[in-house]
């Protein structure tokens, strides 16, 4: 069953049937101010931090679904009938409403009672101002008298003060109205003010939420909207809202456009916003937003025989990956701001995947992670970047409730809380950044360590590799510590196969970098270490038909033929292949086992059979319900690892089978099962052992976005930047005849046409760049345009694997 369709021409997903099973969200903003909104305008806005600086309030996990939001109510003054443009909260018959999710904006459309209305929410490009662009048209054939009420509820800024501890915040927030501007403040804060205003003088206002809504009512039927009368409320103390009233009459066919601005700053800032954002300027801002995304999407465009893949790579998958890098992970309907800062491993992986479209932000993320590395060589699992900034930026929010500030020694957690994989991702992310940008000098930049002291980026990376070399268990495999990539695999001193494979992968990447930089001594020292790790992995971790997942502290194998539960695991088998630890025969065998035990029509499950008996030697994963999350769900993030592994093995049809099963765009007609939005990868899809098999959960904020993009572009389509040239080494289904990729790289544009006359799955027969035979695409003077012809086939080979 479908609820909507992809409108790729306008780069929108259109929700035609508005009562989707769960919230379908989207993000607005490209800088400090950002918001997450669903298909009914439920959602919230933040500025800078979802922990400390929430602009509007959200009542998470609530009933009715996901509110409040940034609503516009319309009222027919003759009949008294009223509705909201975004369907909810009033909830008139659903067939009158639709929604368009675009890149950095949301549009709500309705056609009710003879009035067509469209409400667009987006954020101005250079300033923290959210623009509400409302357009109305009278289609009724009669004169109409209408009232328009924009409404949002202000937040007490800090997530705890907003949701739990009201004893100060309720009496520290105030509002007033002056010259058409609502000013809201948290009196004790430095960055305290927000404003709400319109492009014209309002006919009424309310700053107090409870005056606007009225007692024993909800956002569904506010007293002010029902009666058409605002009470002009404001006060020092209480819960506050941004609510205005505009009255207008529309002749038959007449149109009106109303603009509202919700921004950071006091009443004076509100007045400035009102002067600045004329309708023409708002149009200009909207065009700039489109140009912002044009620029990013233009870095890589594909034309392949797979429409789902085209939609993903050309639009939604890159968008989702960018959202993760720009905004990090803690602003959604699921993670509502209660955790601080950046997660080490997630951020490192996100930043690895899109340096081509966002080199600046990826670099910034890498620097933040490098500064949060301990001298010992592990990363701080969760940290606030500002803790380690040399300029020592203070968090402007100061809690009026006395909450002791922890000393630095407590911010830097010990090895007990270290995750064995966290920093290993960073090695490959830094190398990937240099492959993309050619910025070799980054490696010599001097940065601090979390507890103090400093060293070059290069030294940081060596400490990470050395840490994992030291942290091995009784079998010579890396310890699992608090967790590895799988948060729920808690092996402590037990050993994690995945971490040893990741270690090997990081070593390989580092050695390639050291060789490129001519640092031969390091290259050979770490090459030697890599060989030791490889040998150890092959000796200890091979189980006969797949690789073990690990070994418990009391020396029991995890993921072995004799196990009744948790027999085969995706993480270890995919990484055995990606890292190059597996021999080709082992790789093929292991990935065949992955296909046999883990494949479902919705993607690959993390492990099978699921755990049903608690085993604390293995960890929390054994206490998770079968089929959910880390216990045998189709956890999306590792799925692309399987595509990379299959691409390395040269099995393009198998890789594409895995790709297609997970591909959200290909699930658009199965929403009764998937439930979640088909324009976003979700953290997981419920696995086979659960009654809700196929249901997807937790959109947008997931490592599957970046990894899907990275795996599909670099390993399936095979376009991979390297230090001194672009590798083209696709791995595709045999029936693909051709595909084209336009890729920007180091300031030039490469138009790469790949043809497959012999119907192979892998292997480049010949490659030319502007007619000249090449092994790799050359780095060209900035501004060049290069046409590459790549012919796949069995005869000549020639590409790097
Ligand atoms: C969540 C976490 C991520 C972890 C994964 C598997 O997605 O954000 O860090 O790797 O779960 O446990």
């Amino acid at each position: 069953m479908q609820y909507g369709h992809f409108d790729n021409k306008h780069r929108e997903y259109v929700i035609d049937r508005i009562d989707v099973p769960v919230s379908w969200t989207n993000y607005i903003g490209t800088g400090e101010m950002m918001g997450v909104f669903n298909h009914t305008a439920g959602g919230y806005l933040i500025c800078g931090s979802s922990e400390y600086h929430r602009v509007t309030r959200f009542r998470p996990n609530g009933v009715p679904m996901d509110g409040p939001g940034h609503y516009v109510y319309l009222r027919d003054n003759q009949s008294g009938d009223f509705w909201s443009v975004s369907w909810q909260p009033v909830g008139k018959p659903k067939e009158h409403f639709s929604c368009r999710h675009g890149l950095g904006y949301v549009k709500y459309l309705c056609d009710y009672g003879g009035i067509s209305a469209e409400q667009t929410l987006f954020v101005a490009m250079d300033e923290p101002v959210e623009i509400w662009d409302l357009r109305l048209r009278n289609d009724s054939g009669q004169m109409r008298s209408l009232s328009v009420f924009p409404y949002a509820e202000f937040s007490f800024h800090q997530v705890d003060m907003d949701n739990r501890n009201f004893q100060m915040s309720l009496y520290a927030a105030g509002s007033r109205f002056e010259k058409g501007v609502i000013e809201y403040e948290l009196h004790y804060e430095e960055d305290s003010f927000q404003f709400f205003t319109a492009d014209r003088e309002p006919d009424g206002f309310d700053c107090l939420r409870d005056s606007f809504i009225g007692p024993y009512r909800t956002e569904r039927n506010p007293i002010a909207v029902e009666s058409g009368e605002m009470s002009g409320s404001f006060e020092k103390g209480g819960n506050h809202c941004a609510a205005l009233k505009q009255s207008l009459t529309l002749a038959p066919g007449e149109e009106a456009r109303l603009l509202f601005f919700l921004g950071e700053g006091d009443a004076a800032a509100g007045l400035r916003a009102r002067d600045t954002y004329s309708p023409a300027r708002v149009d200009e801002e909207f065009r700039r937003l489109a140009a912002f995304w044009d620029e990013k999407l233009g870095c890589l465009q594909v034309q392949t025989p797979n429409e789902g893949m085209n939609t993903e790579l050309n639009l939604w998958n890159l968008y989702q990956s960018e959202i993760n890098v720009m905004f990090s992970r803690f602003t959604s309907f699921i993670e509502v701001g209660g955790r601080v800062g950046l997660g080490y491993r997630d951020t490192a992986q996100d930043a690895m995947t899109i340096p081509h479209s966002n080199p600046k932000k990826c670099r910034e993320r890498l620097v933040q992670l490098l500064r949060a590395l301990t001298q010992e060589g592990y990363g701080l699992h969760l940290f606030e970047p500002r803790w380690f900034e040399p300029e020592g930026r203070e968090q402007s929010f100061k809690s009026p409730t006395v909450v002791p500030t922890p000393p630095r020694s407590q911010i830097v957690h010990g090895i007990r809380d270290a995750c064995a994989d966290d920093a290993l991702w960073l090695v490959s992310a830094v190398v990937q950044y240099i492959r993309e940008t050619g910025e070799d000098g980054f490696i010599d930049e001097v940065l601090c360590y979390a507890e103090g002291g400093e060293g070059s980026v290069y030294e940081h990376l060596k400490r990470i590799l050395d840490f994992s070399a030291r942290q091995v268990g009784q079998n010579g495999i890396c310890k699992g510590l608090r967790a590895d990539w799988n948060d729920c695999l808690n092996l402590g001193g037990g050993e994690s196969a995945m971490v040893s494979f990741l270690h090997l992968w990081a070593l390989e990447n580092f050695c390639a970098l050291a060789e490129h930089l001519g640092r031969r001594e390091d290259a050979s020292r770490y090459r030697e270490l890599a060989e030791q790790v490889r040998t150890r992995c092959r000796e200890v971790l091979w189980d006969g038909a797949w690789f073990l997942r690990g070994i418990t502290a009391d020396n029991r194998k995890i993921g072995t033929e004799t196990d009744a539960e948790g027999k085969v695991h995706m993480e270890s088998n995919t990484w055995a292949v990606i890292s190059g630890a597996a021999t080709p025969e082992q790789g093929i065998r292991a990935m065949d086992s992955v296909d046999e035990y883990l494949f479902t029509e919705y993607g690959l499950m993390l492990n099978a059979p699921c755990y049903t008996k608690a085993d604390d030697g293995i960890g929390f994963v054994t206490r998770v319900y079968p089929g959910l999350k880390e216990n045998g769900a189709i956890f999306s993030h590792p799925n692309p690892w399987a595509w990379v592994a299959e691409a390395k093995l040269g099995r393009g049809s198998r890789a594409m089978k895995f790709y297609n099963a997970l591909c959200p765009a290909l699930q658009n007609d199965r929403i009764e099962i998937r439930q979640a939005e088909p324009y976003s990868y979700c953290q997981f899809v419920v696995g086979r052992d659960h009654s809700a098999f196929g249901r997807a959960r937790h959109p947008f904020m997931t490592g599957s976005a970046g990894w899907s993009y990275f795996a599909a572009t670099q390993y399936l389509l095979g376009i991979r930047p390297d230090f001194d040239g672009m590798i083209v080494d696709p791995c595709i289904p045999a029936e693909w005849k051709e595909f084209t990729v336009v890729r920007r790289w180091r300031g030039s544009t490469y138009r790469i046409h790949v043809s497959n006359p012999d119907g192979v799955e892998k292997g480049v027969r010949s490659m030319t760049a502007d007619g000249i035979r090449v092994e790799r695409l050359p780095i060209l003077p900035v501004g060049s345009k290069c046409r590459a012809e790549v012919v796949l086939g069995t005869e000549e080979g020639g590409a790097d694997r």
Side-chain angles (χ1 to χ4, degrees):
M1 181 198 283
Q2 294 188 3
Y3 281 77
H5 65 276
F6 287 93
D7 178 353
N8 287 354
K9 184 158 168 266
H10 296 102
R11 300 194 310 209
E12 288 176 337
Y13 185 88
V14 187
I15 304 175
D16 305 302
R17 190 184 148 168
I18 201 73
D19 60 335
V20 296
V22 291
S23 262
W24 285 14
T25 50
N26 189 15
Y27 287 79
I28 67 170
T30 57
E32 280 244 298
M33 179 175 267
M34 66 166 295
V36 52
F37 291 96
N38 77 355
H39 60 292
T40 67
Y44 61 103
L45 195 67
I46 66 155
C47 193
S49 162
S50 55
E51 168 88 357
Y52 296 108
H53 205 88
R54 304 167 74 77
V55 175
T56 46
R57 181 168 293 155
F58 190 62
R59 280 182 274 283
N61 204 10
V63 175
M65 189 194 286
D66 302 325
H70 292 197
Y71 303 129
V72 174
Y73 298 91
L74 300 180
R75 180 177 190 276
D76 181 315
N77 292 331
Q78 274 124 12
S79 67
D81 191 17
F82 62 91
W83 62 102
S84 37
V85 178
S86 53
W87 184 42
Q88 297 295 326
V90 178
K92 290 290 184 185
K94 63 179 187 290
E95 50 279 8
H96 297 284
F97 300 85
S98 62
C99 166
R100 287 178 168 260
H101 281 306
L103 308 185
Y105 67 90
V106 194
K107 259 186 215 273
Y108 304 99
L109 299 108
C110 81
D111 193 344
Y112 176 84
I115 302 294
S116 103
E118 182 183 303
Q119 173 196 357
T120 307
L121 297 179
F122 72 107
V123 177
M125 293 302 286
D126 304 325
E127 289 191 282
V129 176
E130 186 199 32
I131 297 171
W132 305 25
D133 187 351
L134 179 72
R135 290 159 197 252
L136 303 173
R137 196 183 57 232
N138 178 0
D139 292 336
S140 70
Q142 286 156 20
M143 242 358 229
R144 300 291 292 273
S145 159
L146 299 173
S147 295
V148 178
F149 306 85
Y151 171 81
E153 185 176 339
F154 283 115
S155 155
F156 295 141
H157 293 183
Q158 200 254 1
V159 72
D160 264 354
M161 304 288 291
D162 202 38
N163 290 304
R164 285 200 293 228
N165 181 4
F166 305 119
Q167 57 97 10
M168 275 302 291
S169 43
L170 267 177
Y171 311 102
S175 55
R176 66 192 184 103
F177 178 85
E178 189 187 321
K179 297 187 189 144
V181 182
I182 287 175
E183 183 190 80
Y184 171 68
E185 75 161 338
L186 271 190
H187 197 55
Y188 54 76
E189 263 195 328
E190 289 152 39
D191 292 340
S192 109
F193 294 103
Q194 271 95 44
F195 63 79
F196 188 67
T197 188
D199 66 344
R200 65 198 70 191
E201 223 34 65
D203 301 303
F205 70 91
D206 264 314
C207 303
L208 292 178
R209 179 192 69 186
D210 299 343
S211 303
F212 180 80
I213 301 278
Y216 304 103
R217 290 168 175 266
T218 69
E219 291 93 0
R220 184 174 282 264
N221 58 348
I223 186 77
V225 178
E226 194 178 289
S227 66
E229 298 298 327
M230 303 291 261
S231 49
S233 61
F234 60 94
E235 203 168 271
K236 292 186 171 68
N239 283 300
H240 303 264
C241 68
L244 296 174
K245 175 183 169 187
Q246 306 281 359
S247 306
L248 69 163
T249 49
L250 289 180
E254 192 183 346
E255 297 181 6
R257 183 177 184 189
L258 292 86
L259 299 169
F260 305 104
F261 311 107
L262 177 56
E264 284 287 300
D266 58 10
L271 285 173
R272 277 197 304 279
R274 182 178 177 160
D275 288 346
T276 306
Y277 296 103
S278 62
R281 175 66 188 270
V282 168
D283 291 341
E284 174 62 19
E285 290 295 310
F286 198 69
R287 276 195 295 273
R288 288 178 69 200
L289 178 66
F292 173 88
W293 285 107
D294 268 347
E295 177 63 28
K296 291 191 178 297
L297 298 173
C299 293
L300 202 169
Q301 285 288 298
V302 310
Q303 195 50 53
T304 78
N306 183 339
E307 273 310 319
M309 179 181 259
N310 295 342
T311 298
E312 290 298 344
L313 298 184
N314 293 337
L315 212 57
W316 290 101
N317 194 184
L318 181 73
Y319 178 64
Q320 189 184 353
S321 309
E322 280 277 357
I323 296 291
N324 278 291
V325 169
M326 292 197 290
F327 303 127
S328 175
R329 293 285 185 83
F330 304 132
T331 311
S332 71
F333 285 15
I334 308 296
E335 300 232 38
V336 195
R339 291 209 273 173
V340 286
L342 301 177
Y344 210 94
R345 78 160 75 92
D346 293 349
T347 306
Q349 291 171 83
D350 293 346
M352 182 190 77
T353 55
I354 54 160
H356 72 307
S357 64
N358 204 342
K360 194 160 163 253
K361 195 72 192 180
C362 288
R363 190 187 200 283
E364 184 187 320
R365 293 289 188 223
L366 297 178
V367 167
Q368 290 168 332
L369 291 162
L370 286 155
R371 286 182 180 144
L373 186 78
T374 60
Q375 295 201 15
E376 184 71 14
Y378 62 88
L380 299 188
H381 189 64
L382 200 58
F383 67 98
E384 267 283 6
R386 94 191 131 70
W387 291 342
F388 308 114
E389 283 170 3
E391 51 277 19
R393 192 162 49 97
E394 284 274 308
Q395 174 57 53
S396 66
F397 175 86
K398 298 238 180 15
S399 174
T401 306
V402 179
V403 182
T405 317
R408 187 143 175 152
S409 57
Q410 278 176 26
I411 287 168
V412 178
H413 65 69
I415 196 164
R416 230 179 107 241
D417 288 321
C419 289
D421 66 317
D422 272 348
L424 282 173
W425 299 105
L426 182 58
V427 178
S428 302
V430 168
V431 177
Q432 193 59 32
Y433 174 79
I434 294 171
R435 285 186 166 125
E436 179 65 43
T437 60
E439 194 193 331
D440 291 355
F442 181 48
I443 215 71
D444 294 320
E445 195 157 307
V446 174
L447 298 169
C448 71
Y449 290 101
E451 43 313 45
E454 56 182 31
S456 66
V457 171
Y458 191 73
E459 282 155 7
H460 278 68
L461 301 189
K462 290 208 299 193
R463 282 184 196 241
I464 297 171
L465 298 172
D466 295 346
F467 174 78
S468 293
R470 281 196 306 279
Q471 289 295 323
V472 292
Q474 53 191 321
N475 298 287
I477 299 302
C478 288
K479 287 183 189 167
L481 303 180
R482 175 80 185 252
D484 67 11
W485 169 86
N486 188 327
D487 278 330
C488 301
L489 193 84
N490 316 113
L491 300 174
E495 292 151 280
S496 158
M498 182 189 181
V499 178
S500 274
F501 296 142
L502 272 186
H503 189 205
L504 178 56
W505 187 58
L507 284 163
E508 294 283 6
N509 281 321
F510 179 82
C511 290
L513 174 70
E515 275 152 19
H516 163 68
L517 297 172
R519 304 191 188 186
R520 290 206 192 84
E521 232 171 83
D522 283 325
S524 70
R525 182 176 143 220
Y526 285 98
R527 183 70 62 211
E528 208 173 295
L529 178 57
E531 289 321 313
Q532 286 164 15
V533 174
R534 193 190 318 273
T535 311
R536 198 93 283 240
C537 287
R538 284 183 185 166
E539 281 169 8
V540 178
L541 298 173
W542 181 242
D543 191 61
W546 58 78
F547 285 89
L548 303 178
R549 181 64 177 86
I551 303 167
T552 60
D554 59 0
N555 221 16
R556 287 180 290 135
K557 292 177 177 175
I558 305 168
T560 183
E561 174 58 40
T562 54
D563 279 335
E565 306 188 335
K567 225 175 164 69
V568 181
H569 294 253
M570 184 151 50
E571 302 99 309
S572 47
N573 286 295
T574 53
W575 278 102
V577 178
I578 302 172
S579 66
T583 63
E585 299 72 40
Q586 286 174 334
I588 288 192
R589 197 70 218 279
M591 289 308 294
D592 283 348
S593 300
V594 165
D595 188 35
E596 182 187 338
Y597 286 86
L598 305 181
F599 182 72
T600 77
E601 59 190 304
Y602 304 110
L604 293 159
M605 298 183 296
L606 201 50
N607 58 280
C610 295
Y611 290 102
T612 62
K613 295 182 196 66
D615 181 341
D616 292 331
I618 298 175
F620 193 68
V621 61
T622 60
R623 294 175 182 272
V624 175
Y625 282 131
L628 296 183
K629 302 275 287 185
E630 280 89 344
N631 189 12
I634 297 151
F635 215 96
S636 304
H637 183 153
N639 267 254
W641 301 342
W643 318 340
V644 178
E646 288 295 355
K648 288 214 158 193
L649 297 172
R651 301 195 291 189
S653 298
R654 172 77 68 77
M656 202 58 71
K657 177 178 99 170
F658 292 169
Y659 179 88
N660 286 343
L662 192 76
C663 182
L666 295 175
Q667 306 265 321
N668 194 39
D669 54 0
R670 286 201 267 179
I671 298 303
E672 73 283 9
I673 298 167
R674 177 182 173 82
Q675 295 195 341
E677 44 274 67
Y679 50 86
S680 169
Y681 283 93
C682 288
Q683 187 200 61
F684 73 98
V685 180
V686 176
R688 207 167 36 204
D689 289 358
H690 189 282
S691 51
F693 177 42
R695 180 188 294 167
R697 282 293 181 268
H698 304 183
F700 274 100
M701 304 274 121
T702 149
S704 40
W707 262 104
S708 296
Y709 188 81
F710 182 78
T713 55
Q714 302 220 4
Y715 287 88
L716 303 187
L717 303 183
I719 317 289
R720 281 202 294 284
D722 205 354
F723 304 112
D724 54 4
M726 178 75 85
I727 298 168
V728 182
D729 186 21
C731 184
I732 55 175
E735 66 272 14
W736 277 27
K737 296 273 172 268
E738 59 175 349
F739 69 90
T740 307
V741 174
V742 181
R743 171 69 147 95
R744 280 197 216 132
W745 187 48
R746 309 233 188 143
S748 296
T749 305
Y750 298 78
R751 191 184 164 77
I752 306 163
H753 176 247
V754 178
S755 56
N756 186 20
D758 297 347
V760 298
E761 299 204 338
K762 182 151 169 155
V764 172
R765 183 197 294 165
S766 69
M767 172 150 75
T768 60
D770 290 329
I772 299 164
R773 278 298 280 258
V774 290
E775 293 287 303
R776 292 171 171 212
L777 299 179
I779 300 168
L780 297 168
V782 170
S784 304
K785 288 194 173 8
C786 172
R787 292 188 86 90
E789 275 298 332
V790 181
V791 183
L792 304 185
T794 41
E795 283 148 43
E796 281 178 50
D800 312 61
R801 292 271 148 130

